Amino acid sequence: MRRLLLVLGNDVRRHLRSPLAILIYMAIPMVMTGLIGIIFAPRAEEAQLPPIQVLLVDHDKALASKLVLGTFDVDQMKKMFRVTVTDEADGRDKMKRGRASAMVVIPEGFTLDLLDAKTTTLTVVKNPAEQFLPDVVEEFVTTLAVMLSGAVQAFAAEVRGVRAMLEGPLDTFPWETLGPELGKAQKKMVAARAYLDPMLIRLKADETRAAGARTRFTRTDLFSIMLPGMAVMFLLFIVQTLMRDIISEREDGKLRRMMTTPLRPLELVGARLLGGWVMGLAVLLVMVAFGTLIFRAHWGPFGYFLLLGAAASFWTAAFFGCFHAFVRNRNQAGALGAPIILAFSLFGGSMMNPEAMPKAFLAVGVATPNRWFIDGAALVRDGRFPAASLAVLVLSGLVLTALAVPALRRRTSV
Amino acid sequence: MGSLRRVFHIARNDLRIMVGDKAFFFWSLVFPMLFIVLFGLLYRASDNAPAVAELTVVNLDEGRWGGYFLDKVKSPTIALKVVDSEPAEYSRLLVLPADFSARIEARRDQALAFKKRQDASTQAAARVETRLYQAIARVIGELVVYGDGDLAKFLDGHAEFRDLVQVKSRFPEDTVTVVPSGFDHSIPGTTIQFIMMMVIIYGGITVMEDRKKGVLGRMLVSPLTKTEVFLGKLAGRWLMGLVQALILFVVGQIPPLNLNLGSVPLALLVIAVFAMAMAALSVFIGSLCRKEDLIIGLAVLLANIFAGLGGCWWPIEIVPPGVRTAAMVSPAYWAMDALHKLRFFQGDFGDILPNLGVLLALAAALTVVAGRTFKIRE
C-alpha cells in the first residue's frame, strides 16, 4: 500500500509540473459555458432577442403608411425593432449583407384603399439566410394588420369624411357637416377608451415546468444546467490524458525499469487507477469551484454532489483503465480516445440539452456516463439524492475495474 | 517548377498517410454526420414543426364570451383542446376564468393566464401567443365598433369583423423559392467546424511528431530546402481540409440531406481559402507545441470558440449585437457568411469577394507567422 501511494504521489507531482494541457482542458468548459451563456441567457430587459432590423419600403407615402411606421416607433416596439425606411433594391442589398431580417413593403394606394374600405395587402419580404427573426416580423405585421382593420371599421364614417376631403376641391367641401362628424368621432374615441385603457383583455404569460409548476429561469440557472455536461465531457478528456501513462511508459521502456524495483504489477495498476480517480475528482472539483466563482452556478447539497463526482471519476478511471488495457499502442489510444469521448458527449447530452435531442440519440445516451452524471446533477441541484445515477456509475465502474485489473496486470508484467 | 513538384509530393504523401489512418473516417465522416443529422433535425424542427401548434384551454367561463373568444383564436395552424380543469401534461395552456364574460359585459379589464411549458417549442408558443393577441385585437375591435350598448346582448347579432389589411410573405426575388431545409444550415456549419478541428488536430500533431521523430530532419537529406518542406506540410494540411469538405458535400447530396450550396465552384473556393488559413494555423501550433494533448486541447478550444462565434452552431441573427461584432475575429464567421450569400441569395463572385479578401489576408498572415516558427528539429 505504501508503494502504491508513493507511485500515486509521484504521478501527481509529475502532472503538476507540466499542467498546461490539463489547464486548457479545464478552461474549455468555462469558455464554452461563458459563450453560450452570453448568447442564450435570459436578459434583464423585456426583449429576449437582439433588436430586429426591419426595412420599410413606403410606396404609399400617405396617412396610413405613416401610421404603420409610427407603430414601430412606440417605446415598447423600439426595444424589439430597429426600422430603416429605404427602397426595395437597397433593402435586398442590406438583407444580403446580413443587415436586416425582413423588409415590409407598403403598396401604392394603401391609404386610399383603406379609406374606401377595400382589401389591401402588406408584403413581408423575409431574409432567407435567417431562421427565426423574419417570422417574428411577419407575426407582428399580421397583428398590426388586424388592429388597422379594426380601426378602419371602427371609424368608417369618419374615414369616409376624410376620403371626401382628399378627393374634392377645398371650396366644395361641406365644412358645416364636419362638426357633427367630429363630435361622433370624439364620442367613439371616449367610448373606445373603456376597452383600450387599460386593455379589456390582456395576457399574463408564464413559463412553467412539468405538471404546471411555475418557475423563473435565470442566467445562473442556465449556467447551472450547462456546466455539469461540460464538466463531465472534459473530465473524460483529462482522465484519458492522465492515464495515458499506462501506454506511454510501456512504449518508452520506463515500465521495464520500474519493474526492476520492488514494485508489484498489482500495486502499479492500483496506483494508476486510483490516480485517475483521485486526480479526476480533484479536477472536477476545481471546475466546480471555478463554475461557482465565475458563473455563480449552484450545484445543490455539496455532499451529494461530491458523491456523484466521486462516482463519475471512478467510472472514468475504470473505463480508461480498461481502454488502455485493450488498445495496442499510443497512436491507437489517441485515435480512438477522442472519438469515444465526443460520441459519449454528443449522445449523453453534454453538447446539447437532452430535451431538444432526437429520441434515437436519447436512447443511445443511456449507455453513456455523461447522461447519468447530467441527470444526477439535475437531481442534486433540486436537493434530491441521485440514487439511480450513483448506482449505475458505481456498478458499471466496478464491472469495468474487474475487466481492467487483470488485463492491465498482464500487460504490466515484464 | 521542380520545386513546386517536390512541395506537392510532400503534400500528397501526407494526405495518403492521413487517409490510411483508421480514425480518419470517424473524424471526416462519421462524427460530422452525427452533427449534421442532429443540428439538421433541430433546425428543421424550428423551421417547420409542429405544423399545428397545440393550445389547451381551461374554459371556466359561465357566460357566452368564452366560446366567442375561442372562435376568434381558431386557425388552421392552431389545435384547440378545451378542457374543464388544468391537466398535468400540456405544451401551452390558456385559462378563461369563470367571470370572463361578466367582466367583459361590465367593461372591467382582466388578464388571462397563459402558461407555456419551458421545454415545448418556443416557435409554436410564439405562434399561439401571437394568435391570442390577434384574437384579443379582433374582439376589442368589434367592441369599439359595435359595443356602445348593453354588452349582454352584443353577441345576439352584429356585423362581422373584416380583415381589410392582409399580409403576404415571400423571399426576395432571385433568391430561394422554397424554405431552406435544416440540412442547408447544418451541413456548411458542420463542415467549417470539422475542417478547423481536423486540420488543426491532425495537421498540428503530425508536424510536431515529424519534428520530434526526426522525420523533418531526414527530409532535408533529400534535395529539399527548408522552405519546400514547410510549404509541403502547409499544402498537405490544406488538402486535408479540402478532402474533408468534399466528403461532406458529396454525402450531402444523398436524400434526404439534398444539400444545395448555391454555386458549387464558388462554395469550394470559399472552403479552399478557409482551409488555407486553417492549414497555416495548424503548422504554427504544431511548431509551437511539444505535446499532443496540448495541441488537441488548443484545437478543441479554438475550433469551438470560432465555430460558436462564427454561426456554425446557431443562427448568427439571434446573437447579441456586441457578440456579432466580436464574431468578425473568427475565420468561421467570414466563411459562413460567404456560404450563406451563395446559398440563400444566389450570390456571385463579387458578393463573396470581401469575405475571400479577409480569409486570404488571414491565411497570408498566418502563413508568415507559421513560416517563422517552423522548426526542423527540437
Side-chain angles (χ1 to χ4, degrees):
Chain A
M1 190 63 185
R2 202 172 58 86
R3 285 192 293 261
L4 187 150
L5 291 176
L6 274 174
V7 174
L8 175 61
N10 185 52
D11 281 353
V12 171
R13 278 195 299 277
R14 202 159 38 83
H15 287 296
L16 283 176
R17 272 200 297 270
S18 58
L20 196 56
I22 306 289
L23 288 176
I24 287 177
Y25 280 130
M26 283 164 65
I28 297 170
M30 300 298 147
V31 172
M32 294 312 301
T33 305
L35 181 64
I36 296 172
I38 288 169
I39 293 166
F40 291 107
R43 292 170 199 142
E45 315 92 72
E46 281 172 43
Q48 290 292 311
L49 290 167
I52 304 173
Q53 304 294 334
V54 179
L55 303 168
L56 199 130
V57 179
D58 185 1
H59 291 304
D60 182 47
K61 292 188 175 65
L63 189 66
S65 66
K66 299 285 178 280
L67 200 65
V68 171
L69 188 58
T71 50
F72 282 102
D73 210 30
V74 177
D75 276 351
Q76 206 179 353
M77 292 301 127
K78 269 189 195 164
K79 285 181 192 162
M80 205 170 166
F81 301 106
R82 297 261 163 83
V83 179
T84 310
V85 179
T86 183
D87 57 69
E88 283 192 60
D90 179 59
R92 187 179 186 278
D93 185 53
K94 280 201 166 78
M95 277 206 266
K96 193 188 273 188
R97 284 187 283 127
R99 302 269 168 85
S101 298
M103 179 165 67
V104 179
V105 183
I106 302 173
E108 205 178 331
F110 181 66
T111 302
L112 290 178
D113 284 343
L114 283 181
L115 294 175
D116 287 342
K118 277 189 204 163
T119 303
T120 181
T121 304
L122 292 172
T123 305
V124 179
V125 184
K126 301 199 277 188
N127 187 334
E130 296 189 2
Q131 295 157 70
F132 303 108
L133 304 187
D135 289 343
V136 177
V137 178
E138 186 184 357
E139 290 297 349
F140 173 75
V141 174
T142 306
T143 309
L144 178 66
V146 171
M147 289 160 72
L148 260 178
S149 301
V152 169
Q153 286 165 87
F155 298 97
E158 294 73 17
V159 162
R160 276 194 293 275
V162 176
R163 179 85 174 94
M165 268 181 80
L166 291 175
E167 273 186 346
L170 198 61
D171 52 353
T172 61
F173 187 79
W175 289 97
E176 63 280 4
T177 59
L178 203 57
E181 286 299 324
L182 287 174
K184 271 195 248 169
Q186 185 195 18
K187 274 187 195 164
K188 277 187 189 172
M189 285 173 87
V190 171
R193 267 173 53 189
Y195 304 111
L196 299 172
D197 186 25
M199 287 276 281
L200 190 68
I201 307 169
R202 299 185 306 278
L203 282 187
K204 191 171 161 240
D206 253 329
E207 283 209 328
T208 61
R209 277 201 270 195
R214 280 185 191 184
T215 180
R216 184 174 158 73
F217 196 71
T218 64
R219 184 182 282 238
T220 304
D221 291 331
L222 181 76
F223 291 139
S224 305
I225 289 171
M226 281 178 55
L227 268 174
M230 290 281 176
V232 72
M233 175 170 156
F234 287 93
L235 172 73
L236 288 163
F237 271 113
I238 291 167
V239 173
Q240 187 215 10
T241 304
L242 294 171
M243 292 184 72
R244 203 175 289 166
D245 291 348
I246 293 172
I247 295 257
S248 58
E249 282 173 353
R250 193 170 56 236
E251 286 184 15
D252 297 347
K254 283 182 195 147
L255 184 66
R256 189 176 287 272
R257 268 177 278 165
M258 283 163 88
M259 284 297 109
T260 59
T261 65
L263 184 69
R264 280 178 296 177
L266 194 60
E267 288 169 332
L268 187 62
V269 169
R272 292 282 176 261
L273 290 175
L274 191 62
W277 182 10
V278 171
M279 286 189 274
L281 181 59
V283 161
L284 185 66
L285 291 178
V286 171
M287 285 195 274
V288 168
F290 276 119
T292 310
L293 283 172
I294 301 170
F295 302 113
R296 308 257 176 249
H298 51 86
W299 306 87
F302 184 70
Y304 289 177
F305 189 83
L306 192 65
L307 272 178
L308 184 68
S313 306
F314 169 64
W315 190 98
T316 310
F319 175 79
F320 282 110
C322 205
F323 173 78
H324 286 114
F326 291 106
V327 291
R328 265 187 301 206
N329 52 40
R330 195 162 35 179
N331 283 347
Q332 202 174 52
L336 292 174
I340 289 173
I341 294 169
L342 290 172
F344 277 170
S345 306
L346 181 64
F347 289 106
S350 286
M351 296 182 176
M352 188 171 288
N353 181 1
E355 283 162 352
M357 283 166 60
K359 280 184 182 156
F361 278 60
L362 285 176
V364 178
V366 176
T368 68
N370 304 54
R371 172 72 183 280
W372 291 102
F373 182 79
I374 291 167
D375 286 356
L379 287 174
V380 175
R381 218 167 32 245
D382 289 345
R384 289 182 280 167
F385 186 71
S389 294
L390 283 176
V392 170
L393 289 170
V394 171
L395 289 176
S396 54
L398 285 172
V399 172
L400 288 167
T401 309
L403 287 170
V405 170
L408 282 174
R409 199 176 160 190
R410 252 196 323 275
R411 300 197 76 176
T412 308
S413 304
V414 287
Chain B
M1 196 63 194
S3 178
L4 198 66
R5 206 175 56 239
R6 286 194 290 274
V7 165
F8 273 95
H9 183 77
I10 299 170
R12 207 175 55 233
N13 189 52
D14 273 8
L15 188 67
R16 191 180 53 79
I17 293 169
M18 185 196 70
V19 174
D21 190 337
K22 283 173 195 156
F24 169 73
F25 282 99
F26 180 86
W27 284 106
S28 59
L29 185 64
V30 180
F31 201 53
M33 281 311 295
L34 287 174
F35 260 74
I36 285 168
V37 170
L38 181 65
F39 282 100
L41 290 175
L42 279 179
Y43 280 137
R44 195 170 61 175
S46 321
D47 287 345
N48 305 325
V52 177
E54 181 197 300
L55 173 64
T56 304
V57 180
V58 182
N59 189 0
L60 305 171
D61 184 30
E62 289 165 356
R64 292 188 294 161
W65 281 92
Y68 185 72
F69 177 69
L70 292 181
D71 281 343
K72 304 281 176 200
V73 176
K74 277 179 191 164
S75 140
T77 57
I78 308 281
L80 268 185
K81 190 176 158 192
V82 182
V83 294
D84 296 328
S85 60
E86 183 170 328
E89 289 298 319
Y90 60 82
S91 296
R92 288 155 287 279
L93 183 87
L94 177 74
V95 182
L96 297 181
D99 60 349
F100 179 70
S101 291
R103 291 185 82 96
I104 289 179
E105 287 166 10
R107 294 182 174 85
R108 279 163 58 205
D109 67 295
Q110 58 187 313
L112 304 179
F114 175 54
K115 300 179 184 182
K116 297 175 278 187
R117 278 278 297 277
Q118 232 178 29
D119 51 349
S121 160
T122 47
Q123 275 220 313
R127 195 190 302 161
V128 169
E129 197 167 348
T130 308
R131 186 71 195 169
L132 288 174
Y133 279 118
Q134 288 164 5
I136 290 171
R138 282 192 167 85
V139 169
I140 293 181
E142 287 179 7
L143 286 169
V144 169
V145 181
Y146 311 110
D148 51 352
D150 181 3
L151 291 186
K153 292 174 187 162
F154 180 88
L155 298 179
D156 294 333
H158 62 80
E160 260 303 302
F161 186 90
R162 287 175 60 207
D163 282 314
L164 288 175
V165 183
Q166 297 186 342
V167 178
K168 182 180 84 179
S169 71
R170 63 172 172 83
F171 291 118
E173 281 147 24
D174 304 325
T175 58
V176 292
T177 48
V178 291
V179 178
S181 80
F183 296 117
D184 286 337
H185 289 282
S186 76
I187 295 177
T190 307
T191 304
I192 293 292
Q193 184 193 352
F194 275 86
I195 286 176
M196 289 191 285
M197 289 252 282
M198 171 110 164
V199 172
I200 301 176
I201 292 179
Y202 256 81
I205 289 176
T206 47
V207 163
M208 179 206 68
E209 284 195 334
D210 283 357
R211 187 181 66 245
K212 281 173 90 172
K213 288 177 182 168
V215 177
L216 297 183
R218 262 179 280 166
M219 285 168 86
L220 287 187
V221 176
S222 66
L224 282 167
T225 64
K226 186 183 168 188
T227 307
E228 284 169 350
V229 174
F230 167 70
L231 290 175
K233 291 288 164 192
L234 192 69
R237 273 121 207 91
W238 177 59
L239 288 177
M240 276 182 200
L242 282 183
V243 168
Q244 164 88 81
L246 279 173
I247 289 174
L248 293 182
F249 285 173
V250 169
V251 172
Q253 302 305 316
I254 300 168
L257 304 178
N258 300 324
L259 172 67
N260 180 352
L261 288 165
S263 163
V264 175
L266 288 178
L268 286 176
L269 179 65
V270 172
I271 296 289
V273 179
F274 176 74
M276 209 181 285
M278 290 304 108
L281 186 60
S282 80
V283 176
F284 171 63
I285 290 177
S287 303
L288 217 60
C289 299
R290 291 179 177 186
K291 282 190 170 180
E292 184 181 323
D293 293 324
L294 198 58
I295 295 176
I296 295 175
L298 273 176
V300 173
L301 183 66
L302 288 176
N304 283 335
I305 291 175
F306 287 160
L309 281 175
C312 297
W313 292 345
W314 43 67
I316 197 81
E317 84 243 26
I318 62 166
V319 167
V323 181
R324 208 167 164 169
T325 308
M328 289 184 189
V329 301
S330 163
Y333 170 86
W334 296 100
M336 285 298 290
D337 185 52
L339 293 175
H340 275 174
K341 283 177 185 166
L342 295 173
R343 166 65 185 98
F344 301 114
F345 291 94
Q346 311 298 312
D348 53 26
F349 183 73
D351 293 321
I352 60 166
L353 200 56
N355 302 62
L356 291 176
V358 171
L359 289 172
L360 263 176
L362 181 71
L366 285 170
T367 303
V368 171
V369 175
R372 289 191 170 201
T373 51
F374 185 69
K375 288 178 288 191
I376 295 293
R377 291 178 188 85
E378 285 292 332

